[in-house]
Amino acid sequence: MPSYETHEYDVVVVGAGGAGLRAAIEASARGARTALICKSLLGKAHTVMAEGGIAAALANVDTRDQWQVHFRDTIKGGKFLNQWRMAQLHAQEAAERVLELEQWGAVFDRTKDGRILQRNFGGHTYPRLAHVGDRTGLEMIRTLQDRGVHQGIDVHMECTIRRILKDGDRVGGCFGYHRETGRFVVFRAKAVVLATGGIGRCWAISSNSWEYTGDGHAMALWAGAELIDMEFVQFHPTGMVWPLSVQGTLITEGVRGEGGVLVNREGRRFMFERIPELYRGEFAETEEEATRWVQAVIAGRRPDARRPPELLTRDVVARAIRREVREGRGSPHGGVLLDIASRRTPEEIKRKLPSMYQQFKELADVDITREPMEVGPTCHYMMGGVRVDPDTQESTVRGLFAAGEVAGGLHGANRLGGNSLSDLLVFGRRAGQFAAESAQRNASVAQVDPDQIDQVVRESLAPFERTDGENPYALHEELRSTMHNLVGIVRTEEELHAALGKLQQFRQRSARIKVGGNIQYNPGWHLALDLKNMLDVSEAVTRAALQRKESRGAHTRDDFADSDARWAKLNLIVRQGTDGIEVSPRPLPEMPPELKKLLEEGEHG
Amino acid sequence: MAETMTLEIHRGDTAGGELVSYTVPSTPGMVVLDAVHFVQAHHAPDLAVRWNCKAGRCGSCGAEVNGKPRLMCMDRVDKYPAGEPITIRPMKTFPVIKDLVSDVSWNFEVNKKIPAFKPRNDRPPRFSQEEADRVQEFRKCIECFLCQNVCHVLRDHQRKEEFGGPRFFVRVAALEMHPLDDGNRTGLLKQDLGIGFCNITKCCTEVCPESIHITDNAIIPLKERVVDEFYDPIKKLFRILMPQSRPEAGD
């Protein structure tokens, strides 16, 4: 059996995006010996790609904003499936976390009176997103990175974690390998925080990078933790569609927040026809009214009109775009047109959306200050994830915590734009705090049975031992197109069953994957190992999607087109059973009356 | 039949390497990174390359394409002459790990030398967009290290012990010109980061994919601060008389 190096810590944080960094900073500040493990280099995690902003009720631009309104918007955007306590904590603490980031050196765009500027975004009642042009994620990750550098956190870069190690029902650490050398490594720890992000690499058209292979989701499942809301996968309405090289690359919702409009091939703003009942009366009903709203926002006045329907929630906009394309009213390359050129001056566009300008100019030969962009839905974000205690972020496995995209519950059936970066800060901090406290309660690191380690070592090296077999890249492509075609934006029972059949075949084929070369920096091998996570996570999504026989938020069933009041009270829980992945419904926790009242006030006001 | 092109990619590790030719079909809008991914999927599954966002935002995929430092994800293949091979090598200034991946860990060590942001307590965090603009330019840096790769002091003279490189002058500039920061890092710039070695050839500015005016807006103003602090005759006299007033070094 190959040797492995061993490290020992109080807290090991797996993943170094916003949630992981914030968790590590907090755990370390509370005296825990802390390790931060990055799958890539530090500062390259997915947070760096976040564009639009951080949602927080600072009320700098509209003084009517307050946490209660943010709470209501979040629950409504999540179609009432959110864990109320997470939504409450998130809305209450986001502003403090943003101000803290500023104290750590972040430089947000400013209001005229020198405070943090906030922009409009889909589903948010007031301008709420603290931002830096269209590169807010970079600002956030760099600020956290620079803060963390001086805090005595041990950073292990380009290290992939493969398994949570356990001692009975308690966490004992985790196991992984260094990409550079291929050498195996064991981190013994009193507490582990999963901050591994999402699962977008299971779909063909995605805004996600190679890292997003559901590592944390799968490892939590294998460790015996529960997952929640796995049927809800967010397709961002506006990804690039052409050229093929950039298909799926994200176009920030900030384009619409800055006044951009969606039109079909006939030049019609189709979103006016797609305002759902839930939002009836809250959005502009004519182009004239929508234009008035944009003009007021640009001028910095409080609008006397309702907001444009392009700012409906992502689930609604993505479905509407899909429908235009399906019904033959799409753009030349199978999307719709997003036009900011006719709404804002070239100078304003370059200033507020510099990355979008550059991205289209260099990659698509399109000048967005003069021409519309072609856009279509792209798999972007996973609402579902590890079920955690709302206050502590601890999973159902003792000592195992989760924060950020890998954790479920905050966003319910659909996440609002801007609520992700705030999620990372609020719950990253909480996970770090409670992981450190949990570690302090344990005098020693748990013992890990060496057999557990031997087993994962053997499994990891198996692809090298086959002389003939499947190419991991080819199998990955098939998985991605299967999930895209059969478990996409709109689903049916028949297609979901077909997907399960395919996944079963892929599972058998994945046991025959062969990789060439040696264990040093070998991406083919890395992908072969990541496929195991992707297959289990894909199955979890598909099985949950089969069970939810209604349409809600990001989960749309062609065969159950309406929302069903009975399902509004149920989350689906996914577990690893003895015979495979099991899904079962569980009633939502009862919301306290004072919060219920907040939602009702929203209905009437 | 689809049009094809030839890539010549560096294959090898610390023990040595060579250029290996691969044939790849070209598609509209293709970037160099797409071509490399095609090679991985069809010819060489173990070809090592770093990438993440594929949209010019994370700075992971820097390499030397036909000898020029580029982000492979933003480098369109159709701008290269048709029919001629495209060569791709790892960044030369850093030790190679394997194929197109080089060991950039030195940069993370330099970063640790820079003292953290130190907020002033004497004013509320209010400042104008104009004040923000000045540092936001520097904060656009995506840490691709292409500027480090082309800097003569690092590339040709290997002064990694004495010199921080353009990336970290940009980082110090972002702190020094931050409207809320109260630190003084001129001692660090002079000593640990060796800003005096820079002779302003602007190679860094030319390769910056974020178009940061590294030389004009970061390095030159920082050099001026160092000169003011250390070589101004009146200040020098003051320092001799009052040694405790030396600017703080990078602690």
Side-chain angles (χ1 to χ4, degrees):
Chain A
M1 194 58 61
S3 64
Y4 49 83
E5 61 180 68
T6 305
H7 300 271
E8 196 179 307
Y9 292 99
D10 294 327
V11 175
V12 169
V13 180
V14 185
L21 272 160
R22 189 63 191 82
I25 288 170
E26 192 67 21
S28 169
R30 288 171 186 269
R33 290 171 305 147
T34 305
L36 179 66
I37 302 176
C38 324
K39 197 169 172 179
S40 290
L41 297 174
L42 182 62
K44 311 297 184 194
H46 227 282
T47 302
V48 82
M49 285 157 249
E51 295 167 352
I54 315 175
L58 295 163
N60 287 355
V61 174
D62 195 315
T63 52
R64 291 171 295 182
D65 204 9
Q66 47 182 327
W67 77 261
Q68 290 89 343
V69 187
H70 191 183
F71 170 80
R72 186 162 68 215
D73 289 344
T74 300
I75 297 272
K76 206 166 158 181
K79 311 297 179 280
F80 309 100
L81 273 196
N82 325 53
Q83 302 299 302
W84 64 264
R85 177 66 178 156
M86 286 180 84
Q88 181 189 26
L89 289 170
H90 168 254
Q92 286 174 334
E93 294 177 6
E96 205 181 318
R97 293 282 80 76
V98 170
L99 295 173
E100 175 182 76
L101 220 50
E102 187 171 61
Q103 281 300 306
W104 293 353
V107 182
F108 293 102
D109 287 356
R110 315 309 291 179
T111 61
K112 287 203 177 72
D113 63 349
R115 292 182 296 168
I116 296 172
L117 181 61
Q118 297 179 275
R119 68 158 47 121
N120 286 288
F121 238 57
H124 293 281
T125 301
Y126 301 118
R128 189 175 284 147
L129 269 67
H131 63 277
V132 185
D134 55 8
R135 55 159 194 88
T136 314
L138 173 65
E139 186 69 18
M140 179 161 145
I141 202 163
R142 208 65 86 223
T143 303
L144 292 171
Q145 190 180 333
D146 291 341
R147 175 85 186 175
V149 155
H150 295 287
Q151 246 184 302
I153 301 165
D154 281 357
V155 180
H156 299 266
M157 292 192 223
E158 298 201 305
C159 180
T160 303
I161 297 302
R162 299 272 312 129
R163 199 65 48 92
I164 301 298
L165 302 172
K166 286 178 74 181
D167 172 29
D169 65 349
R170 181 185 153 195
V171 157
C174 54
F175 169 94
Y177 62 86
H178 295 289
R179 289 168 66 75
E180 180 178 334
T181 57
R183 283 204 56 185
F184 296 117
V185 54
V186 168
F187 296 93
R188 299 182 64 215
K190 296 176 184 172
V192 173
V193 179
L194 291 173
T196 51
I199 68 170
R201 295 302 287 180
C202 302
W203 280 264
I205 299 175
S206 170
S207 64
N208 291 174
S209 85
W210 70 273
E211 295 187 299
Y212 261 36
T213 50
D215 302 11
H217 289 80
M219 289 192 289
L221 197 62
W222 303 333
E226 291 179 352
L227 308 182
I228 188 171
D229 295 337
M230 290 297 285
E231 65 274 38
F232 299 109
V233 180
Q234 179 165 79
F235 284 78
H236 193 291
T238 59
M240 292 175 81
V241 298
W242 186 258
L244 282 180
S245 162
V246 289
Q247 193 179 38
T249 300
L250 191 66
I251 299 160
T252 176
E253 191 168 323
V255 177
R256 285 169 283 143
E258 297 293 335
V261 299
L262 290 165
V263 295
N264 63 17
R265 150 183 298 191
E266 296 155 5
R268 204 169 72 242
R269 280 177 73 176
F270 54 89
M271 285 310 301
F272 285 105
E273 302 146 35
R274 300 283 171 250
I275 303 173
E277 201 48 50
L278 181 65
Y279 290 100
R280 190 76 62 196
E282 293 177 35
F283 284 81
E285 282 165 26
T286 63
E287 291 209 26
E288 181 276 325
E289 186 181 358
T291 305
R292 237 177 335 120
W293 182 89
V294 173
Q295 282 166 348
V297 167
I298 294 171
R301 295 192 311 267
R302 186 179 282 187
D304 61 347
R306 291 168 297 181
R307 54 189 39 222
E310 278 85 1
L311 289 174
L312 277 156
T313 54
R314 289 177 177 176
D315 51 339
V316 175
V317 182
R319 267 195 306 275
I321 291 175
R322 182 180 179 275
R323 180 167 175 162
E324 291 304 303
V325 176
R326 287 265 166 141
E327 294 178 1
R329 296 184 295 275
S331 62
H333 300 103
V336 295
L337 299 172
L338 172 61
D339 170 34
I340 183 88
S342 70
R343 307 279 146 173
R344 304 295 294 262
T345 65
E347 291 68 36
E348 286 169 337
I349 295 168
K350 286 185 204 168
R351 155 153 203 92
K352 296 306 286 187
L353 303 162
S355 307
M356 295 301 109
Y357 174 72
Q358 186 191 6
Q359 187 172 309
F360 272 90
K361 195 163 66 90
E362 293 186 18
L363 298 174
D365 301 320
V366 168
D367 178 352
I368 68 166
T369 68
R370 302 158 64 93
E371 308 159 76
M373 301 161 244
E374 265 193 274
V375 299
T378 179
C379 181
H380 182 57
Y381 185 87
M382 183 58 187
M383 267 72 71
V386 181
R387 191 171 83 79
V388 290
D389 176 88
D391 286 79
T392 66
Q393 299 291 105
E394 190 165 17
S395 73
T396 44
V397 172
R398 199 150 53 97
L400 182 63
F401 297 75
E405 190 171 351
V406 68
L410 168 61
H411 307 292
N414 172 66
R415 175 176 70 83
L416 297 185
N419 271 1
S420 178
L421 293 187
S422 44
D423 172 9
L424 307 184
L425 293 172
V426 168
F427 293 107
R429 176 185 154 275
R430 282 184 164 268
Q433 174 188 343
F434 288 99
E437 286 180 11
S438 159
Q440 277 151 15
R441 283 195 300 272
N442 292 308
S444 65
V445 172
Q447 287 306 314
V448 173
D449 175 7
D451 285 352
Q452 273 184 63
I453 298 168
D454 290 349
Q455 191 198 337
V456 56
V457 167
R458 265 196 304 276
E459 176 195 300
S460 302
L461 292 175
F464 285 110
E465 283 155 16
R466 300 178 194 119
T467 48
D468 193 27
E470 293 264 354
N471 174 338
Y473 295 92
L475 188 55
H476 184 213
E477 282 311 307
E478 283 189 57
L479 169 67
R480 295 180 75 187
S481 62
T482 296
M483 291 305 283
H484 197 82
N485 294 329
L486 303 178
V487 198
I489 300 178
V490 177
R491 301 146 174 190
T492 67
E493 177 136 352
E494 196 186 351
E495 288 179 347
L496 292 169
H497 275 301
L500 283 179
K502 285 273 201 182
L503 289 172
Q504 189 54 34
Q505 292 168 18
F506 295 155
R507 207 178 281 285
Q508 288 161 5
R509 287 169 56 189
S510 75
R512 297 194 297 267
I513 283 178
K514 170 201 120 168
V515 296
N518 61 35
I519 61 169
Q520 289 165 8
Y521 219 117
N522 185 336
W525 179 45
H526 304 156
L527 178 59
L529 300 181
D530 287 345
L531 268 168
K532 180 181 165 72
N533 316 342
M534 286 190 268
L535 287 169
D536 278 356
V537 168
S538 296
E539 184 176 331
V541 172
T542 309
R543 288 198 183 277
L546 255 176
Q547 277 222 14
R548 184 170 288 276
K549 292 183 172 34
E550 66 153 355
S551 294
R552 179 175 302 274
H555 171 72
T556 303
R557 289 280 300 257
D558 231 3
D559 40 359
F560 298 94
D562 297 322
S563 293
D564 181 334
R566 287 167 300 177
W567 276 108
K569 296 178 170 22
L570 296 171
N571 292 114
L572 288 173
I573 304 293
V574 177
R575 243 186 265 99
Q576 179 79 52
T578 41
D579 297 323
I581 291 168
E582 293 170 357
V583 181
S584 54
R586 183 175 300 164
L588 260 81
E590 188 71 23
M591 192 184 289
E594 67 273 17
L595 292 180
K596 260 190 198 157
K597 202 159 148 263
L598 281 180
L599 296 185
E600 283 156 16
E601 280 166 15
E603 292 304 302
H604 308 302
Chain B
M1 201 182 111
E3 285 190 36
T4 62
M5 63 182 152
T6 304
L7 299 186
E8 292 186 340
I9 300 179
H10 173 263
R11 300 297 313 268
D13 52 27
T14 46
E18 56 178 354
L19 288 178
V20 177
S21 283
Y22 299 97
T23 304
V24 172
S26 52
T27 54
M30 193 177 206
V31 293
V32 171
L33 185 61
D34 293 319
V36 171
H37 282 160
F38 185 92
V39 173
Q40 271 188 329
H42 298 91
H43 303 305
D46 62 338
L47 170 63
V49 59
R50 281 200 185 103
W51 70 283
N52 283 75
C53 72
K54 210 177 167 288
R57 303 171 160 256
C58 74
S60 299
C61 64
E64 298 188 4
V65 183
N66 282 359
K68 294 272 195 302
R70 300 278 179 210
L71 290 181
M72 287 186 280
C73 72
M74 298 299 283
D75 201 23
R76 294 266 294 261
V77 298
D78 54 15
K79 76 169 197 217
Y80 292 100
E84 290 175 26
I86 298 175
T87 63
I88 313 169
R89 289 188 172 90
M91 290 191 282
K92 182 189 162 208
T93 299
F94 308 108
V96 68
I97 291 174
K98 185 180 161 191
D99 303 338
L100 298 176
V101 174
S102 45
D103 178 0
V104 293
S105 58
W106 168 78
N107 294 286
F108 292 91
E109 294 306 313
V110 176
N111 192 40
K112 288 181 190 165
K113 295 183 191 170
I114 300 172
F117 173 67
K118 191 176 160 203
R120 319 157 51 127
N121 294 321
D122 61 340
R123 58 178 279 190
R126 289 210 182 186
F127 52 90
S128 67
Q129 185 59 49
E130 287 68 34
E131 286 176 280
D133 283 342
R134 194 168 177 206
V135 287
Q136 280 182 339
E137 179 186 8
F138 306 135
R139 297 181 68 88
K140 286 195 301 186
C141 171
I142 56 174
E143 294 202 322
C144 63
F145 305 129
L146 290 181
C147 59
Q148 306 286 75
N149 182 47
V150 295
C151 175
H152 302 296
V153 184
L154 299 169
R155 189 181 179 99
D156 302 325
H157 305 294
Q158 290 292 329
R159 291 197 182 266
K160 290 201 181 91
E161 294 299 313
E162 305 136 277
F163 187 67
R167 158 56 189 142
F168 296 100
F169 298 133
V170 166
R171 165 132 162 72
V172 173
L175 288 163
E176 287 287 289
M177 300 179 202
H178 193 299
L180 302 181
D181 180 80
D182 199 22
N184 179 338
R185 299 167 188 82
T186 45
L188 171 94
L189 285 167
K190 180 169 178 283
Q191 297 298 329
D192 305 60
L193 301 184
I195 195 168
F197 284 108
C198 167
N199 53 8
I200 329 186
T201 53
K202 295 200 178 187
C203 304
C204 51
T205 303
E206 279 167 27
V207 299
C208 179
E210 288 294 312
S211 308
I212 300 170
H213 298 91
I214 303 176
T215 316
D216 290 347
N217 291 355
I219 296 180
I220 292 175
L222 290 178
K223 275 177 172 277
E224 285 167 357
R225 286 184 188 213
V226 171
V227 168
D228 283 352
E229 190 86 48
F230 289 93
Y231 303 104
D232 181 310
I234 296 168
K235 280 197 181 163
K236 200 167 182 181
L237 181 68
F238 191 67
R239 253 198 322 275
I240 291 166
L241 298 174
M242 300 186 68
Q244 71 275 19
S245 71
R246 283 184 68 84
E248 57 199 277
D251 51 352

